[in-house]
Amino acid sequence: MKYFKKSISYLLLILVLIPSSVLAYSKYLIPGGENVAIEVNFSGVLIVGLYDIDGVNPGTDAGLKIGDTILKVNNNKIVNIDELIENVNKATNNQIEITYSRNNKVNTTKLNLINSEGVLKTGLYVKDTLTGIGTLTYIDPESKLYGALGHEIIESNTGTMLEINNGHIYDSEVINIERSENGNPGSKIASLKLNDKKGTIYENTNKGIFGKYTSQLPDKKKYKVASIDDIKLGEASIYTVISGNEIKEYKINILKITKNDTKNILFEINDSELLKETGGIIQGMSGSPIIQGNYIIGAVTHVVIENPNHGYGIFITNMLEEAEN
């Protein structure tokens, strides 16, 4: 999925009561690698822009900002744009009360509506859904819970992590590649098959998206979940799609292992075929499983902008533990 560029850029659940020493996930996982389309519905309606009407900016005057999420209008809960429009059209005195969230704090304000050519306008550009692509990391064969991306979904206009209400993953086919170059990460170009649903999305976190896989489980070799101590420097592989739906294995070299929150595995791509086709890590590879021997050890999460044949990955155990919380 495409996000803001930084010195290091993003490429791309059930709570159970168990003893802290016991893990609910399986010891063996089905590795992913499939390119998936992602569609999420926000918890409310997200403000992605503000505009002037006849020289007046109602949103700015009301103290609203890009990235705010509208939760209620005149104390009526809002979950999509249609409900926002319906409540705007019911407004009296050309004013509505908006309840919104910003930085996890809920606020209220008065928004003045402007009648322009017989239409009540808010001066707000808004979204209630987002679509993009990423890579499936794993499926737990026993619970059918899955993890993907290895990092959060970020709305490109605001640069903020989305609080989602629900969503789905779908089949997707890679139709073209924009190659990475130093200072400019490339990306997968894909078609989204929104009639071929693969699973639901329950949660969006800084360690990935998680949900229930609802399609038939793929018939693949299962890999053992690696503990941190199982992971070694040196040769490993990633599984990903760069053309059509074909998952292929590409060689990488693990350079450094760090026990922090998300950027756990520093690696370089040394697979000549992948470097020729993509120039390195590209956006859309987020979530590509990292395999070492008979272990699934993590997922691709970041590209190093200045040197895109280098990237970072997250430990698979960090994703699995996040899915339990």
Side-chain angles (χ1 to χ4, degrees):
M1 298 183 73
K2 297 183 180 178
Y3 306 113
F4 283 127
K5 297 174 184 176
K6 302 178 181 177
S7 60
I8 295 177
S9 169
Y10 290 111
L11 287 179
L12 280 77
L13 299 161
I14 301 172
L15 180 62
V16 290
L17 298 177
I18 53 176
S20 59
S21 60
V22 179
L23 300 175
Y25 54 78
S26 302
K27 293 182 179 179
Y28 288 83
L29 300 174
I30 300 170
E34 292 88 347
N35 205 75
V36 291
I38 298 167
E39 182 180 58
V40 293
N41 300 308
F42 308 152
S43 296
V45 174
L46 184 71
I47 299 174
V48 296
L50 307 169
Y51 65 93
D52 290 345
I53 309 166
D54 300 328
V56 178
N57 194 305
T60 299
D61 291 345
L64 296 170
K65 295 183 178 181
I66 293 172
D68 292 344
T69 300
I70 299 172
L71 304 175
K72 295 180 181 180
V73 172
N74 293 335
N75 212 34
N76 296 317
K77 185 177 179 180
I78 300 297
V79 297
N80 55 47
I81 292 174
D82 288 342
E83 292 183 356
L84 175 62
I85 293 172
E86 180 182 351
N87 280 271
V88 166
N89 290 334
K90 290 179 180 178
T92 58
N93 300 322
N94 287 356
Q95 187 181 78
I96 55 176
E97 182 180 78
I98 288 182
T99 303
Y100 65 97
S101 65
R102 178 188 299 164
N103 299 326
N104 297 318
K105 294 182 179 180
V106 176
N107 308 282
T108 60
T109 188
K110 300 288 186 180
L111 179 73
N112 292 319
L113 307 173
I114 296 178
N115 192 319
S116 177
E117 299 178 353
V119 177
L120 288 177
K121 295 185 177 181
T122 62
L124 308 176
Y125 292 116
V126 295
K127 283 184 179 180
D128 58 9
T129 61
L130 180 146
T131 58
I133 63 168
T135 302
L136 185 70
T137 304
Y138 69 85
I139 308 169
D140 187 317
E142 296 182 10
S143 66
K144 294 193 74 173
L145 296 178
Y146 75 85
L149 292 185
H151 62 68
E152 67 270 44
I153 299 172
I154 294 177
E155 203 285 319
S156 60
N157 291 286
T158 64
T160 58
M161 185 173 78
L162 295 176
E163 182 181 346
I164 68 169
N165 186 37
N166 56 56
H168 297 91
I169 57 171
Y170 301 85
D171 190 19
S172 175
E173 182 176 350
V174 178
I175 57 177
N176 198 9
I177 294 291
E178 293 180 355
R179 296 182 78 257
S180 282
E181 299 176 355
N182 289 352
N184 185 26
S187 64
K188 296 182 182 183
I189 310 299
S191 61
L192 314 183
K193 300 183 179 180
L194 300 183
N195 60 342
D196 190 357
K197 190 182 298 182
K198 295 299 183 182
T200 58
I201 299 174
Y202 294 155
E203 192 174 18
N204 176 37
T205 82
N206 70 333
K207 296 181 178 65
I209 61 170
F210 303 96
K212 189 85 169 184
Y213 196 79
T214 55
S215 190
Q216 182 176 351
L217 293 177
D219 183 16
K220 295 182 184 180
K221 174 184 175 180
K222 300 178 182 66
Y223 285 86
K224 189 174 182 180
V225 174
S227 69
I228 295 174
D229 292 337
D230 292 322
I231 303 170
K232 310 299 181 186
L233 299 180
E235 185 175 321
S237 300
I238 63 171
Y239 289 174
T240 199
V241 175
I242 61 171
S243 179
N245 299 106
E246 183 183 8
I247 302 171
K248 296 184 71 173
E249 178 183 3
Y250 299 101
K251 298 299 182 183
I252 65 170
N253 182 44
I254 296 176
L255 303 173
K256 185 177 180 180
I257 298 168
T258 305
K259 298 178 182 180
N260 60 20
D261 194 35
T262 56
K263 296 187 184 79
N264 306 128
I265 303 168
L266 174 64
F267 65 90
E268 63 179 352
I269 295 175
N270 52 14
D271 191 292
S272 59
E273 179 185 354
L274 186 60
L275 289 172
K276 178 181 177 181
E277 294 295 328
T278 67
I281 303 297
I282 56 176
Q283 297 174 89
M285 281 185 184
S286 294
S288 300
I290 305 174
I291 305 296
Q292 190 173 59
N294 290 315
Y295 290 100
I296 179 169
I297 67 172
V300 175
T301 57
H302 300 74
V303 59
V304 178
I305 295 295
E306 294 80 8
N307 190 6
N309 70 327
H310 284 64
Y312 283 93
I314 185 173
F315 291 143
I316 192 68
T317 47
N318 281 357
M319 292 184 69
L320 290 165
E321 289 165 9
E322 181 73 10
E324 290 185 350
N325 294 329

